[in-house]
Amino acid sequence: MNSSNDFDTIEEARARLGKRLVILAHHYMSDAVARHADYTGDSLELSRRIPDLDAEYIIFCGVFFMAETAAILAKPGQKVFIPEMNSRCVMSDMAPDWLVKATLDHLAEGGLSVTPLTYVNSSAAVKALVGARGGSVCTSANAKTMLTWALEQGPHTLFLPDVRLGLNAADWIALPKEQRHILDVRDHGKAVLLDKAKKAQLLLWPGQCVIHSRFKPETIRKARQESPGCLVVVHPECHPNTVALADACGSTSLIIKYVAEAPEGSVIYIGTEYNLVNRLAQKYQGVKMVRALKHSTCSNMEKVTEPNLARLITTLDSAPTVQVDEALKDPARLALTRMLQVCAK
Ligand code: 13P
Ligand code: SF4
């Protein structure tokens, strides 16, 4: 099928299904996919939409944990699909549920009372574990608020899986450095140093996003040398040393807003996934100069394509849906609902 056929196939199906179908797309989707979406957004915005959707079919164009989050928050009877089941977030896979459980158990056995806070980039099983232990979820857009909330729940918070987002959020709330401890989770969580963990309010899981690890402080220094007066905005999955040199840092939606509000004629360097940067560069062509700090793409996000969206949309009655184990749904929903409630205030 060529791309104009795929485009027509998708749009014909959308017209035929009307309100029975909703397509959601994360900002990192390619233009060819994003142009078919009813809603685009960052992780928080898309999660917030799910409970209000009445469509029978929800197609989530993003990585698997996002579609799984939609399946947890969807109403009974709603069917959630993803065009490519194998589009996994590598960072979320750095915190497998069995290892998170073993580590939390080890901390509890060592006498630590821990409130877990998981970045939304995590599996349903991890969200369920966190929900069952009094914890919650955060996104890049609300990490500061949710970390503050978690620290108020008890003496220790375990932030997972993204050590960078955790450290950046700790900087935003001015949590002293000596109150932070990055866990060694080898040996089924037994390598954790309990005496060090006991002294820290914030325990951090050692996961990270390889796509955002590519934006180094030198990349920003080089950009500023090449374009004196330029603006730099980065995603908080970047290393804190990179964030420290940027003019602004925030979720994909914040980055979009930052570019929209920058004065005409600005040169703006962006440190996040390339599809989003490229879309902004095209949108503001001739008005503002939008550049990638480095060309960095998320190969898993790119597994969702217009052809596989076209294939899915024509087989909705037989295609596999995104399934979440029934036993995980309630505790995972609890963790997500806590976040939605804390952030609705
Ligand atoms: P946002 O929530 O900022 O859209 O980020 C999600 C993500 O996976 C970034 O890598
Ligand atoms: Fe996961 Fe990084 Fe891809 Fe975002 S960019 S989905 S954190 S691997």
Side-chain angles (χ1 to χ4, degrees):
M1 219 188 280
N2 66 37
S3 64
S4 78
N5 282 345
D6 289 332
F7 179 90
D8 293 345
T9 303
I10 296 166
E11 288 308 309
E12 276 160 28
R14 291 184 67 212
R16 180 167 36 81
L17 290 164
K19 291 194 169 141
R20 293 175 66 201
L21 169 70
V22 166
I23 301 181
L24 304 173
H26 185 262
H27 289 310
Y28 290 163
M29 288 292 104
S30 65
D31 290 343
V33 172
R35 62 186 173 172
H36 299 293
D38 295 288
Y39 304 107
T40 52
D42 66 19
S43 304
L44 180 62
E45 292 164 342
L46 294 172
S47 300
R48 273 190 173 139
R49 288 208 178 269
I50 316 286
D52 296 331
L53 298 179
D54 290 320
E56 187 180 338
Y57 306 115
I58 299 170
I59 299 183
F60 204 118
C61 300
V63 282
F64 189 75
F65 79 79
M66 296 179 172
E68 224 182 16
T69 303
I72 295 164
L73 293 173
K75 299 183 181 80
Q78 283 182 316
K79 291 182 176 155
V80 177
F81 301 89
I82 183 166
E84 172 51 64
M85 285 278 187
N86 200 27
S87 60
R88 303 193 60 86
C89 166
V90 179
M91 184 217 287
S92 96
D93 288 344
M94 290 178 186
D97 58 319
W98 60 268
L99 186 54
V100 176
K101 181 177 181 309
T103 306
L104 283 170
D105 287 347
H106 180 60
L107 290 165
E109 282 154 19
L112 282 87
S113 170
V114 176
T115 305
L117 178 64
T118 184
Y119 189 23
V120 70
N121 298 36
S122 53
S123 68
V126 167
K127 291 186 181 81
L129 199 55
V130 163
R133 297 192 187 212
S136 188
V137 178
C138 75
T139 71
S140 63
N142 65 18
K144 181 179 168 187
T145 306
M146 290 311 297
L147 180 59
T148 305
W149 173 86
L151 290 168
E152 284 164 4
Q153 306 308 302
H156 305 279
T157 292
L158 169 61
F159 189 94
L160 69 153
D162 187 7
V163 65
R164 269 88 191 260
L165 178 62
L167 289 172
N168 286 320
D171 284 345
W172 298 332
I173 62 169
L175 187 77
K177 302 268 188 239
E178 60 276 13
Q179 289 299 337
R180 313 169 187 188
H181 175 61
I182 301 171
L183 298 180
D184 181 344
V185 295
R186 287 173 299 174
D187 194 17
H188 285 235
K190 297 270 188 312
V192 164
L193 299 171
L194 288 172
D195 50 338
K196 289 232 165 104
K198 276 181 186 160
K199 291 188 193 127
Q201 275 179 281
L202 177 60
L203 310 176
L204 297 130
W205 193 267
Q208 58 178 277
C209 168
V210 287
I211 286 82
H212 288 87
S213 298
R214 295 182 186 132
F215 306 114
K216 312 265 186 222
E218 308 85 83
T219 333
I220 297 187
R221 284 191 202 101
K222 194 161 159 263
R224 293 206 191 279
Q225 262 168 16
E226 276 170 17
S227 309
C230 69
L231 300 169
V232 179
V233 58
V234 300
H235 194 276
E237 287 172 16
C238 294
H239 193 286
N241 292 347
T242 300
V243 172
L245 294 184
D247 298 294
C249 172
S251 73
T252 50
S253 289
L254 179 136
I255 292 172
I256 293 169
K257 190 163 173 272
Y258 185 84
V259 175
E261 289 173 358
E264 281 191 20
S266 319
V267 177
I268 311 152
Y269 282 88
I270 304 181
T272 199
E273 209 274 344
Y274 185 72
N275 274 307
L276 173 56
V277 182
N278 189 37
R279 186 171 311 124
L280 291 170
Q282 284 169 26
K283 181 169 178 188
Y284 292 101
Q285 203 170 14
V287 184
K288 306 171 194 188
M289 178 81 81
V290 176
R291 293 180 183 156
L293 266 179
K294 197 174 181 109
H295 185 116
S296 189
T297 56
C298 178
S299 54
N300 277 290
M301 286 279 184
E302 288 193 325
K303 288 178 186 167
V304 175
T305 60
E306 194 176 41
N308 59 29
L309 177 58
R311 250 190 319 275
L312 170 64
I313 213 164
T314 50
T315 55
L316 285 177
D317 285 322
S318 57
T321 54
V322 176
Q323 293 292 327
V324 178
D325 191 330
E326 281 306 316
L328 300 179
K329 267 193 183 165
D330 282 349
R333 195 182 298 114
L334 180 63
L336 283 160
T337 310
R338 282 189 187 121
M339 169 185 84
L340 296 175
Q341 283 168 351
V342 171
C343 294
K345 284 176 197 161

